[in-house]
Amino acid sequence: MPTQLCDSLWRASSPAAPVLTALEGRLEVDVVIVGGGFTGLSAALHMAKLGMSVAVVEAQEVGFGGSGRNVGLANAGLWLEPNQLDASIGAEAGSVLYNALAAAPEYVYGLIDEYGIQCEATRNGTLHAGVGKAGLAQLERRYEQLTLRGAPVQLLDAAEAQSRIGSDKFNSALFDPRAGTIQPLAYARGLAEAALKEGAKLFEFSPVDKIEPTSGGWAIYTTSGEVHAEKVILATNAYSEYGVKEQARKFVPIFYSQLASKPLSDAQLASILPNKEGVWDTCTVMSSFRLDQQGRLVFGGMGGEGNILSNWASQRVTELFPILSKVKWDYCWTGKIAYSEDHLPHCQQLQNGLFSVAGYSGRGIGPGTVVGAELAQWFAGQRESLSIPTTLLRDIPFRELKRMFYEVGARTYHLGQQSHALS
């Protein structure tokens, strides 16, 4: 069992957050952003840099939601295979979106360097690890499609994949040298510091009570203050509890939990991810693992927190890495992912001047950062459109049933894997 259940490693190891206050009184700006995650903070940073007055209103703390609970894989592209992307939105739009997000890691690490963000930035690539015949076939498809688009990816055979990962349970891996890992909460806090440096205003513990149109745009009301702006960006993603609940109906929230071990020994680190790549697998109920800079193994899987998940994680890690026969977890935490029906992020203009951005489907670091920068350029008239779709999304029918289906499926899978190990 974790010794600090539901306590995040990222909170324990992140540099201090900027000192912010709750919104009080009346404020007028060009743009107000609801949500202090990757998208909202990136948008605020870039808008302020372009001379716009901008305020971020966060219900909890900066990075409280999915951004600060992230796995920390700064990947290129999307979950969808490139051909699936083209089939979904058309080849021309697919090419625009693919190219924008293929360059996302470069943009993220560029911001980290520019603003000196201390977030354990490690750019040694990522490995998409193949499991079974279906997993190998998926990676072969992705490799073919990505290389046709100029991506510098490598398809590793079983021997090379097992050597790079430190486990004999994988038959292949797709290596992407463009990507890497970061400490996600530290990155979010670093974006906040950068936004403040450029002149943005940030407010914490200011949940939105209501949003109303005005003669000059929009008014955002919190318990103790209000912000008036020409434009509003709702950037709450899967955390739409305050003032923007209607947007939650557009996406299915999926829980993803992670556990972090005690620091591994030198002998263990010599064999497990010796090159420090981040890894996720091709299983239907996906899991991920990586190291932090203290040598802790961070292991995650779909589903909520609790004994079932931690027991499965312990058993699965022992299967993958026999050298960790008695793994001890120091931290366990859970975040929410917003899955759209097409697995693509969207920017919807709900009404004139009122925008909603969400649906990263678990891949928010690069896309969130890039979309935030694009929103700033779009509002400043420096670009004609965004790379992501701007179509209005319908409410997802039976949303709660679908959430329960994913949750029960993940729980059943975890229990089944434990039973299989004991049989």
Side-chain angles (χ1 to χ4, degrees):
M1 284 293 296
T3 58
Q4 301 179 43
L5 187 62
C6 301
D7 188 10
S8 165
L9 168 64
W10 305 142
R11 287 184 63 84
S13 62
S14 178
V19 178
L20 304 175
T21 61
L23 175 67
E24 293 185 355
R26 178 187 171 104
L27 178 66
E28 293 190 10
V29 293
D30 296 327
V31 183
V32 58
I33 300 166
V34 181
F38 297 139
T39 302
L41 295 170
S42 175
L45 164 61
H46 289 90
M47 287 177 186
K49 203 170 183 179
L50 290 174
M52 285 176 263
S53 59
V54 57
V56 175
V57 180
E58 165 59 43
Q60 300 288 337
E61 299 173 297
V62 163
F64 172 84
S67 295
R69 302 165 190 269
N70 199 281
V71 175
L73 305 185
N75 275 311
L78 292 159
W79 285 117
L80 289 181
E81 296 175 19
N83 287 358
Q84 292 175 323
L85 174 61
D86 290 350
S88 177
I89 62 175
E92 183 176 353
S95 178
V96 170
L97 179 53
Y98 171 81
N99 289 333
L101 298 188
E106 185 71 24
Y107 199 82
V108 168
Y109 287 101
L111 283 178
I112 291 169
D113 289 342
E114 180 180 357
Y115 289 97
I117 298 174
Q118 300 302 307
C119 61
E120 301 188 15
T122 304
R123 199 174 183 187
N124 291 352
T126 55
L127 294 165
H128 193 178
V131 178
K133 292 182 179 179
L136 175 59
Q138 179 190 155
L139 296 187
E140 289 174 338
R141 289 195 309 272
R142 288 182 180 272
Y143 173 74
E144 180 179 2
Q145 294 170 31
L146 288 169
T147 53
L148 285 174
R149 288 161 175 80
V153 293
Q154 302 170 33
L155 183 61
L156 309 182
D157 62 18
E160 180 66 13
Q162 291 169 11
S163 174
R164 296 274 282 271
I165 296 171
S167 172
D168 63 2
K169 300 302 180 182
F170 302 101
N171 59 22
S172 55
L174 189 63
F175 173 65
D176 190 338
R178 300 170 295 181
T181 61
I182 62 173
Q183 209 275 36
L185 180 58
Y187 176 59
R189 289 177 173 179
L191 288 178
E193 293 278 13
L196 290 169
K197 179 180 178 181
E198 296 294 347
K201 295 178 171 63
L202 277 59
F203 302 95
E204 291 183 324
F205 301 109
S206 301
V208 172
D209 293 327
K210 60 181 177 179
I211 303 173
E212 291 184 343
T214 66
S215 59
W218 294 88
I220 299 290
Y221 296 93
T222 68
T223 303
S224 57
E226 58 189 84
V227 185
H228 293 252
E230 179 184 352
K231 293 183 176 67
V232 176
I233 299 172
L234 307 178
T236 55
N237 206 32
Y239 291 78
S240 299
E241 289 86 357
Y242 301 99
V244 291
K245 289 182 179 179
E246 67 278 3
Q247 287 309 299
R249 298 195 295 266
K250 313 295 184 184
F251 304 94
V252 178
I254 306 297
F255 288 99
Y256 196 89
S257 296
Q258 297 180 79
L259 303 98
S261 73
K262 295 182 179 298
L264 305 185
S265 69
D266 290 344
Q268 292 166 337
L269 290 171
S271 64
I272 297 173
L273 296 175
N275 297 326
K276 307 299 188 291
E277 302 99 338
V279 183
W280 75 105
D281 63 32
T282 60
C283 295
T284 302
V285 180
M286 189 200 79
S287 58
S288 61
F289 49 94
R290 53 161 295 191
L291 299 169
D292 76 346
Q293 287 190 351
Q294 289 71 49
R296 297 179 184 271
L297 178 69
V298 183
F299 184 87
M302 293 176 64
E305 61 199 0
N307 291 348
I308 292 175
L309 186 79
S310 59
N311 290 340
W312 165 75
S314 297
Q315 175 252 312
R316 180 60 176 159
V317 166
T318 299
E319 288 179 351
L320 294 175
F321 309 111
I323 196 172
L324 301 180
S325 59
K326 295 182 180 179
V327 64
K328 300 292 185 182
W329 303 115
D330 271 356
Y331 301 91
C332 177
W333 67 101
T334 300
K336 287 190 291 185
I337 296 168
Y339 268 90
S340 58
E341 283 195 301
D342 59 6
H343 301 295
L344 295 176
H346 287 255
C347 177
Q348 308 168 78
Q349 185 165 202
L350 306 174
Q351 297 182 46
N352 185 35
L354 178 63
F355 301 85
S356 174
V357 183
Y360 295 114
S361 300
R363 188 170 287 200
I365 295 174
T369 303
V370 168
V371 169
E374 288 190 356
L375 282 165
Q377 296 161 4
W378 191 33
F379 286 6
Q382 294 184 0
R383 60 182 303 133
E384 294 182 358
S385 62
L386 301 177
S387 297
I388 64 174
T390 53
T391 48
L392 283 173
L393 293 172
R394 66 189 182 100
D395 291 355
I396 292 182
F398 308 111
R399 171 180 173 271
E400 185 60 20
L401 287 176
K402 290 179 179 179
R403 184 199 67 76
M404 292 175 62
F405 172 79
Y406 285 123
E407 186 71 18
V408 171
R411 185 175 291 264
T412 302
Y413 171 80
H414 296 149
L415 284 170
Q417 290 292 303
Q418 292 177 55
S419 299
H420 175 73
L422 294 172
S423 62

